[in-house]
Amino acid sequence: MGKISISDVEPVEASPAAVQSPPLVPADYPRSRLPVAPALSLASFLRMSGPPAPSILDAGEVRFVTSGRVAIALALKQMGIGPGDTVLVPSYHCASMIEPVIWAGATPLFYRIRPDTTVDLDDIVVKAASVRNVKALMATNYYGFHQPLVALRAFCDERGIQLLEDCAHSFLGSHAGRPLGSWGDYAIASSMKFFPVYEGGCLVSARHRLDGVALQSAGAGFEAKVMLNSVENGFAYGRLPLLRALMTLPMAVKNALWGVIKARRHGAAPALAPGSSDGGFGFDPAWLTKRSSLFSRSMLRLVSRRRMGELRRRNYRHLYDALSALPGCRPLFATLPDGVYPWVFPLLCDEPQALFRQLKSAGVPVIRFGEYLWPGVDATVCENSVDLSRRVLQFPCHQELRDDEIKWMIGQVRSAVKGEEGDLR
Ligand SMILES: *Cc1c(COP(=O)(O)O)cnc(C)c1O
């Protein structure tokens, strides 16, 4: 897939793209032994008993786009945000939260968060008063754990500021009897983080009509590629064995055709799909008018949210119980409240670098949301964000992990921590 950086599309002064793009995983790290995000399997469609899991799709009107970052850009557009406006954004973030603000021509103003990732309510009061043109506040329900949404809503209402609720980590969840995503003027989600899909994002509003958001199909090539990639990812992790056997030939044909297309374009892979959540692909405004694929939209309907919610909570608890007493590590969140359906299990580590390298070398799927902060965001802006950015390693707890895979992952983390402890002695 062609790498599209924001500097290709929008002239920004001192483009942050070069600094922001995380380096690709060094070649000496093996491929992850387990799927870092949900891999398609027949089990994805199983139903489960138990309480229903509220979701952002219950929060209001929805538009299905191709990524969370595109949904952020569309939300800013709907809010009428443009040059000269300021958007309050969290100091703890990933580039795809900030790039759309830059694209809109607005200025991001970074506010502080507390050690537990909640918005520093005193700091947003100060920041909102420090400039005249604050039009919106972006707040992220990190890792699925909600922000003080009642207080944030009141803060925004008092000042005539619009609230953008970032539910990229909280596709499922509720707070005070309402689904997450219903507190913001607009809310966004990232489908790839929760469903076995290759692209997808949601723009949602509980408060405004979305009639002005017009979307078109991204074309048959896109539809086909999205479906095949999702299926192929399932195959790669040993899911869908029967389908794999049936599809060996069509897959070979598809790969051969793809090779021909690429060769015709002198080696430049056509950008048939948007940047994935893996990061490093930047923000491409060409996708602002594109509807999510039929495949992804179908998955959002067909995959059981109840099962997803149940299993995510169960897997999270499993990781919590097994990893919470390790030396030099502690879970970022002490409890798993009702209504929280985690994206991942975040572990706060005293020696994250060595542990990260060791785990990656063993093929453990470690995620580092927030590893790269926007240029200029340092300890003087927010010490807690810098600390979280450096120290929080995240492990998948998604619904498509098998028990033996979770057990293996736990074993790897334990022995890596113990080994490291031995080294330090
Ligand atoms: C992943 C992510 C986004 C962007 O979602 P994409 O689908 O990757 O574009 C936005 N906010 C947060 C907090 C994220 O983790």
Side-chain angles (χ1 to χ4, degrees), residues 67-69 72 94 96-97 140 166 168-169 190 192-193 277 369:
S67 69
R69 61 200 80 180
I72 293 175
C94 59
S96 45
M97 296 159 64
T140 302
D166 178 351
H169 299 175
S190 174
M192 294 161 275
K193 290 180 173 125
S277 278
F369 166 81

Side-chain angles (χ1 to χ4, degrees), residues 80-326:
I81 284 164
D85 295 332
T86 296
V87 180
L88 290 172
V89 293
S91 298
Y92 187 44
H93 55 255
C94 59
S96 45
M97 296 159 64
I98 312 302
E99 283 169 351
V101 178
I102 305 289
W103 168 81
T107 307
L109 180 55
F110 295 91
Y111 64 78
R112 291 184 192 169
I113 62 154
R114 291 201 282 234
D116 65 355
T117 76
T118 54
V119 174
D120 182 333
L121 296 170
D122 297 330
D123 191 53
I124 54 173
V125 171
V126 173
K127 292 275 155 67
S130 71
V131 283
R132 263 188 303 125
N133 46 4
V134 174
K135 291 277 173 61
L137 176 133
M138 192 191 299
T140 302
N141 298 312
Y142 296 104
Y143 305 119
F145 292 73
H146 64 79
Q147 288 292 339
L149 293 163
V150 178
L152 288 176
R153 187 67 256 173
F155 166 87
C156 287
D157 287 342
E158 276 161 27
R159 290 166 179 76
I161 292 175
Q162 301 183 83
L163 179 60
L164 172 48
E165 199 181 339
D166 178 351
C167 296
H169 299 175
S170 59
F171 202 102
L172 304 178
S174 63
H175 176 51
R178 279 160 57 180
L180 298 182
S182 64
W183 301 83
D185 289 271
Y186 295 88
I188 69 100
S190 174
S191 314
M192 294 161 275
K193 290 180 173 125
F194 285 82
F195 292 83
V197 296
Y198 180 73
E199 57 77 30
C202 307
L203 172 67
V204 174
S205 182
R207 301 180 153 236
H208 308 283
R209 301 294 307 267
L210 296 177
D211 297 338
V213 182
L215 303 172
Q216 309 138 16
S217 163
F222 170 73
E223 297 282 344
K225 188 174 158 79
V226 164
M227 182 165 62
L228 288 169
N229 276 336
S230 301
V231 173
E232 255 178 337
N233 188 49
F235 291 171
Y237 285 102
R239 274 73 175 170
L240 304 167
L242 180 62
L243 186 61
R244 181 182 198 172
L246 291 172
M247 283 190 64
T248 307
L249 184 61
M251 281 296 180
V253 171
K254 173 223 138 191
N255 287 334
L257 280 177
W258 199 244
V260 171
I261 293 171
K262 271 199 220 173
R264 283 233 188 104
R265 304 207 186 176
H266 309 287
L272 270 190
S276 75
S277 278
D278 304 341
F281 289 99
F283 168 75
D284 179 358
W287 293 98
L288 284 171
T289 54
K290 300 295 187 285
R291 189 183 303 124
S292 179
S293 65
L294 181 60
F295 179 84
S296 292
R297 282 181 287 136
S298 306
M299 287 298 138
L300 264 53
R301 251 200 324 274
L302 294 172
V303 168
S304 164
R305 282 183 240 150
R306 194 180 294 237
R307 173 178 175 272
M308 182 196 290
E310 283 275 306
L311 293 183
R312 281 182 177 269
R313 283 180 66 88
R314 194 200 67 179
N315 294 343
Y316 180 97
R317 279 200 215 95
H318 195 159
L319 290 165
Y320 185 102
D321 291 343
L323 302 177
S324 59
L326 288 178

